[in-house]
Amino acid sequence: MLKIRVPASSANMGAGFDCLGVALSVYNYIYVNQTGHGLVIEAEGEGKDKIAKDEKNLVYQSMKKVFEYAKKSVDGLYIKLENNIPLSRGLGSSSACIVGGMTAANALLGNPLTDREILNLALLEEKHPDNITPCLVGGFTASMVYENEVYYIKKDVPDKISFLLIIPDFTLKTKKSREILPQNILLNDAAFNISHSTIFALGMYSENFDIFKVALKDKIHQPYRSHFISDFDDILKKCEEFGALGAYLSGSGSTIAAILYDSDRGKVENGIRKYLDKTNKCWKVITVKADNLGATVEKIQ
Ligand code: HSE
C-alpha cells in the first residue's frame, strides 16, 4: 500500500495572479493499492459525501492520465481518500486531487515521469500553474507557462513565517470567480501588479519579509472578487492592524490568507476572531505553516 500526502496551496498571493503560490501544512492523504480487479474508492473528511466514488473521481481520473501517458495499465485499484483541505475555498483542493492522483499513479508504476512531466500533465487539467506547482514541489513558487510547459522557481519558506487562514462558511467556485474578471486591464494596473508581484517574490526569496506590507496589494483580481466576500477590504485592513505583514484573497477565494511572523500569531488570531464575532461571521480561523516538501510518497505495507 502507498500513502501519498499532498499539501493545500494558496495561490496569487496578492499581485501574482496565476503565477505565485505557496504550499501549506494542511494535507489530503491518498492510500492506494493494486488489487488485481475492479475499482473501490472510499472517502473520509472534507466533502466525503459529495465526492464521486466511481470512475468519475478526480483522483482516479488523474491517475488514469498518468497510466495513459506512460502507456501502462494497472489491474484493479483500491483508493482511500482522507481529505482535510476544504473544497472550493481557494486552498487548492482540486490541485491536491490532480497532483496527488498523478503522484500516486507515477509511484505505482515505479516513477517513470519526472516532476516536469507531472506538472505539464496536471496543467492540462488545472489550466494555471500557481496551485499545482507548490502542491507538487512544496514551498513558495513562481511559475509560468511557455509553449504549454510549466517553468518554476521554488524557495523554501522559513519557520518564522506563518499563514493565518480565514475560511468563510461558504464556497466560491473558481469558474464563477474567474468569470467576474474583466478580459482587458489598464496598462497602469498591469504595471502596478508586475512591480508588486516582482517585489513580493524577491522579498520572499531574499527573506526581506517586511516589504510584504506594501507588496501584497493587487489591482487586477481582488477588486472584482471582493464583492463575493462581505467586509473583504475591512478584514484585510484588520489583519494588518492586528500585526500581520499583509493579507490577500487566497486563490480565487473564498479564503482570506494573512502572512505574519509566527511570533505575532497570538495577537493576529485573537484580534481576527474577536472581529469576526462582532460581525456575526462563523468563519474558521487557523494558523498554518508553509509546507516545504510538496507531495510525498510512503510505502506503508
Ligand atoms: N490563479 C487562479 C485564480 C487560482 O485566481 O483564478 C485559482 O485556482
Side-chain angles (χ1 to χ4, degrees), residues 11-12 17-18 126 128 130-131 174 178 221 225 251-252:
N12 298 331
F17 182 70
D18 280 0
E126 188 72 359
H128 24 85
D130 47 346
N131 284 108
T174 300
R178 285 184 89 87
H221 72 109
R225 291 170 159 175
S252 57

Side-chain angles (χ1 to χ4, degrees), residues 42-297:
E42 293 172 1
E44 278 176 17
E46 293 287 338
K48 69 182 167 83
D49 299 323
K50 290 186 200 155
I51 294 170
K53 317 273 185 324
D54 55 16
E55 297 199 344
K56 291 195 197 96
N57 180 276
L58 185 55
V59 171
Y60 173 72
Q61 288 281 330
S62 309
M63 293 182 77
K64 243 175 70 178
K65 298 275 162 23
V66 168
F67 298 145
E68 284 160 13
Y69 180 89
K71 298 190 173 53
K72 295 260 168 67
S73 60
V74 165
D75 294 327
L77 280 174
Y78 167 74
I79 301 169
K80 184 177 163 200
L81 309 172
E82 253 177 47
N83 293 339
N84 297 300
I85 307 172
L87 305 186
S88 300
R89 299 298 209 295
L91 292 170
S93 62
S94 40
S95 286
C97 290
I98 295 166
V99 167
M102 291 186 172
T103 302
N106 196 35
L108 276 180
L109 296 179
N111 295 312
L113 276 67
T114 62
D115 276 2
R116 279 290 298 289
E117 286 175 301
I118 291 182
L119 276 182
N120 293 337
L121 265 190
L123 183 72
L124 297 174
E125 310 307 311
E126 188 72 359
K127 309 286 185 260
H128 24 85
D130 47 346
N131 284 108
I132 54 173
T133 308
C135 182
L136 183 69
V137 304
F140 164 77
T141 58
S143 322
M144 61 174 229
V145 178
Y146 182 72
E147 293 183 344
N148 303 318
E149 298 226 13
V150 179
Y151 296 81
Y152 69 89
I153 294 194
K154 171 189 172 181
K155 166 79 173 78
D156 282 356
V157 180
D159 222 33
K160 67 177 178 185
I161 291 297
S162 284
F163 295 81
L164 177 97
L165 305 177
I166 305 168
I167 309 173
D169 52 5
F170 57 89
T171 58
L172 190 50
K173 294 269 182 212
T174 300
K175 187 171 179 286
K176 178 173 168 189
S177 194
R178 285 184 89 87
E179 273 168 6
I180 200 165
L181 301 179
Q183 287 309 302
N184 299 298
I185 56 168
L186 295 173
L187 186 64
N188 279 347
D189 290 348
F192 180 99
N193 268 52
I194 291 165
S195 57
H196 282 66
S197 58
T198 305
I199 293 287
F200 176 83
L202 286 173
M204 187 67 97
Y205 208 85
S206 59
E207 303 196 357
N208 280 299
F209 303 114
D210 289 334
I211 198 74
F212 293 176
K213 288 179 182 155
V214 288
L216 266 170
K217 312 291 178 209
D218 157 74
K219 285 201 177 181
I220 69 170
H221 72 109
Q222 293 184 176
Y224 307 96
R225 291 170 159 175
S226 60
H227 303 298
F228 291 127
I229 297 149
S230 63
D231 300 319
F232 178 81
D233 292 329
D234 227 31
I235 295 171
L236 258 51
K237 270 193 218 125
K238 290 290 171 196
C239 287
E240 289 171 27
E241 263 175 54
F242 296 133
L245 291 161
Y248 62 93
L249 185 69
S250 182
S252 57
S254 56
T255 295
I256 294 171
I259 310 181
L260 49 137
Y261 286 116
D262 196 57
S263 48
D264 292 329
R265 70 188 285 173
K267 63 181 185 188
V268 184
E269 258 188 41
N270 290 340
I272 287 296
R273 286 215 172 93
K274 281 189 190 139
Y275 169 84
L276 292 175
D277 281 350
K278 259 193 238 153
T279 52
N280 291 320
K281 291 182 178 64
C282 298
W283 297 3
K284 202 168 155 188
V285 178
I286 53 169
T287 304
V288 300
K289 292 281 177 192
D291 164 277
N292 288 321
L293 294 178
T296 59
V297 181

